[in-house]
Amino acid sequence: MIHRQIDVALGERSYPIYVGNDMTATFAPTCRQHGIPDRLVVLTDGNVAPLYLQPLLKHLRHFKFDVTSITIPPGERQKSLQRAHAIFTGMLEAGVGRRSAVIALGGGVIGDLAGFIAATYHRGVPLIQVPTTLLAQVDSSIGGKVAVNHPLGKNMIGAFYQPKFVWTDMECLRTLPAREIVSGLGEIIKYGVILDAGLFDDLEANIDRILSLDREAILRVQTRCAELKADLTSQDEKEAGIRIVLNYGHTVGHALEAAGNYRLLNHGEAVLLGMIAESSIALAMGMIGRDVHDRIVGLIRRVPLKFRANALDVSKAIALMSHDKKSIAGRKRFVLPIRVGEVQVTEGVDRSMIRSSLLSTLNLYKTKSR
Ligand SMILES: NC(=O)c1ccc[n+]([C@@H]2O[C@H](COP(=O)([O-])OP(=O)(O)OC[C@H]3O[C@@H](n4cnc5c(N)ncnc54)[C@H](O)[C@@H]3O)[C@@H](O)[C@H]2O)c1
Ligand SMILES: [Zn+2]
C-alpha cells in the first residue's frame, strides 16, 4: 500500500516519490500510468536478486510487460565504465531498443549505475528508481545525480538525469544487514543538522525505534528526508547553489571513505564520522557553541557504528582532501553547522584544525587496549 506521495517539482521533468509497504501489486499499473514503454530492463545486484527480483519480474509479465533482467555482483567497484560497457553490450545483443526503460532495483550503487545507463543508452531512456537500502530510499534515488567512478575519483563520470518515479517500499529494509541501516542513518541525521531542527528532535527522541525498524518512526523520518531532498532538487537541480548544503559531513567523509579504500567504511558510515569531525571544526572556529556540538555528536554516537579506527590513515585522508573536486582553486570548502537545522559554507579552514578534528573523531571509536 502507498502511504505517502512526495513530488519533485521540476517543470516537465517533475516526478513523484511513492513511499509505502508491500507495494509490488501496484507497480505495473503505476508504470502504465506514467507511460513507461513495454520493454523493460531491470538492473540489480547479487544480494537483492534472490530476495526481490523474481516476484517483480512475474508481476510485470503478468501485466504484459516484456522484461529482462541483468544481475551484477554487489559492491561499489561495480560503479565503473567497464561494468557499464558490459551492460550496454548485453542490452544491445538482447535487441533492447530506444523505446524501452531501465528499472534500478537495489541500493545506491545500482541506482547510480542504472541511472548512468538510462541517461546514455540510445541517448536516454526512461528510468525508474526502486531503492532497496535506507540510504538509497532517503537520498540517492532522489535528485537525479547518476554516475560511475573513475580510478582517479568517485562519481567523476555522470549526469543529472531524473527518474520517471521513485518507488520506495519500506518492507525491503527488513532484509537489510544492520550495517546498512547504520549507513542510512548517516544521511538521515545529516538532513536534521543542515535543514530541519524538528527532524533532529524526532531523531533524538526515536533513534532506537528507527534502529529497530519501527514502521511508523521509519515512515515519518523517510518521508521528511524525501521531502527535504525533493525540495532542494526543485530549487537547484544541477547543484549550482543551495544543494551544496547536502555536502555537510561529506568533505571529510569522502576522504575517509577513500583513505579506507572503500572497504573499511561504506558511504554512510564515513558521513557519520565526517559530521562529527566537521562539527568539531565548527566548534573550533567559533561557529557553534559546545552545547550544539555536543548535541550533534551525542546523537551520532547513539548510532552503533563499528569499524577499525586504528586502521585509518589520517595523513592519507588529509592528502586526499586537498585533491577533492569540490575545492575551488585549492581552497577547501566546508559546509559547517551554525546551529541545529542550519549550515554555512566556509572556506579557509586550516589544515591543523582538520587534522586535530579527525584525530579526535577517530579517538572516539578506538577500542581501549591496556
Ligand atoms: N546519487 C546520489 O545522489 C547519491 C547520494 C548518496 C549516495 N550515493 C551513492 O550510493 C552508493 C551507496 O549506496 P548504498 O549505501 O545503498 O550501497 P549499496 O548499493 O552497495 O547497498 C549496500 C548493500 O546492501 C545490499 N542490499 C541492497 N538492498 C538490500 C536489501 N533490501 N536487503 C538486503 N541487502 C540489500 C547490497 O547488495 C549491498 O551489498 C554509493 O556509491 C554512493 O556514492 C549517491
Ligand atoms: Zn552522501
Side-chain angles (χ1 to χ4, degrees):
M1 194 172 45
I2 294 170
H3 298 301
R4 299 274 192 285
Q5 176 179 335
I6 299 124
D7 293 307
V8 182
L10 281 172
E12 59 183 19
R13 288 186 309 290
S14 297
Y15 57 95
I17 301 156
Y18 302 107
V19 184
N21 62 306
D22 293 325
M23 291 159 71
T24 307
T26 49
F27 184 71
T30 307
C31 289
R32 292 271 180 243
Q33 203 185 310
H34 284 273
I36 302 299
D38 284 339
R39 184 74 172 97
L40 300 175
V41 178
V42 180
L43 184 67
T44 192
D45 76 26
N47 292 332
V48 178
L51 297 164
Y52 304 109
L53 182 60
Q54 287 313 320
L56 183 66
L57 295 180
K58 192 169 164 226
H59 164 77
L60 285 165
R61 285 177 185 139
H62 178 75
F63 281 85
K64 309 285 180 243
F65 281 95
D66 176 10
V67 53
T68 46
S69 65
I70 299 174
T71 301
I72 64 170
E76 181 71 31
R77 288 186 49 180
Q78 299 303 317
K79 255 174 71 172
S80 69
L81 275 176
Q82 288 87 327
R83 177 55 70 190
H85 182 87
I87 294 168
F88 290 139
T89 305
M91 288 168 70
L92 289 166
E93 284 176 355
V96 176
R98 224 162 68 82
R99 275 200 52 77
S100 59
V102 172
I103 298 176
L105 174 67
V109 165
I110 289 293
D112 283 11
L113 174 65
F116 177 77
I117 302 274
T120 49
Y121 190 71
H122 280 286
R123 298 195 183 83
V125 297
L127 167 70
I128 302 165
Q129 290 279 7
V130 184
T132 62
T133 64
L134 184 58
L135 182 141
Q137 295 188 342
V138 297
D139 193 354
S140 63
S141 65
I142 308 163
K145 275 171 55 167
V146 302
V148 294
N149 301 327
H150 186 280
L152 294 179
K154 202 171 132 91
N155 298 326
M156 286 295 146
I157 320 290
F160 288 94
Y161 194 71
Q162 304 295 343
K164 294 297 174 198
F165 63 91
V166 180
W167 190 257
T168 292
D169 193 330
M170 295 184 321
E171 288 314 302
C172 292
L173 302 180
R174 308 223 165 260
T175 55
L176 206 58
R179 186 176 175 191
E180 302 303 334
I181 300 290
V182 165
S183 177
L185 274 165
E187 306 288 3
I188 290 174
I189 293 174
K190 176 188 79 177
Y191 286 113
V193 176
I194 64 176
L195 290 167
D196 189 343
L199 171 62
F200 193 93
D201 292 342
D202 187 351
L203 293 169
E204 279 183 327
N206 293 303
I207 192 135
D208 301 327
R209 292 178 67 204
I210 293 168
L211 283 165
S212 62
L213 297 184
D214 175 277
R215 196 174 279 163
E216 209 180 295
I218 293 257
L219 177 65
R220 194 174 57 243
V221 161
Q222 227 170 18
T223 306
R224 188 64 196 130
C225 293
E227 282 169 357
L228 292 166
K229 179 96 189 247
D231 189 42
L232 284 178
T233 305
S234 303
Q235 289 181 56
D236 181 19
E237 185 182 12
K238 305 247 162 104
E239 210 173 291
I242 178 81
R243 203 161 152 178
I244 191 179
V245 300
L246 289 167
N247 284 324
Y248 167 56
H250 282 61
T251 305
V252 171
H254 279 148
L256 288 174
E257 209 182 344
N261 291 322
Y262 300 95
R263 278 192 296 271
L264 213 56
L265 292 167
N266 64 27
H267 181 74
E269 292 171 331
V271 170
L272 284 164
L273 296 172
M275 290 191 294
I276 296 182
E278 292 178 13
S279 298
S280 305
I281 294 173
L283 176 66
M285 292 182 76
M287 296 170 69
I288 51 174
R290 175 63 67 182
D291 52 337
V292 174
H293 169 272
D294 289 357
R295 251 190 103 189
I296 296 173
V297 175
L299 178 59
I300 296 170
R301 293 281 286 149
R302 287 171 63 196
V303 178
L305 168 61
K306 292 190 194 72
F307 70 102
R308 288 185 298 122
N310 292 310
L312 263 180
D313 181 344
V314 169
S315 302
K316 185 177 172 192
I318 292 176
L320 284 164
M321 243 183 271
S322 29
H323 294 121
D324 192 291
K325 66 178 168 178
K326 277 170 185 147
S327 52
I328 293 179
R331 281 170 74 82
K332 195 83 242 134
R333 282 196 295 172
F334 281 85
V335 175
L336 300 178
I338 53 173
R339 71 177 77 120
V340 170
E342 195 175 348
V343 285
Q344 207 169 66
V345 179
T346 311
E347 285 184 19
V349 178
D350 65 60
R351 224 180 148 91
S352 63
M353 214 181 258
I354 300 174
R355 190 179 180 84
S356 57
S357 74
L358 262 176
L359 288 170
S360 65
T361 301
L362 294 179
N363 267 334
L364 293 173
Y365 288 89
K366 283 191 177 150
T367 40
K368 312 262 178 309
S369 56
R370 275 189 280 174

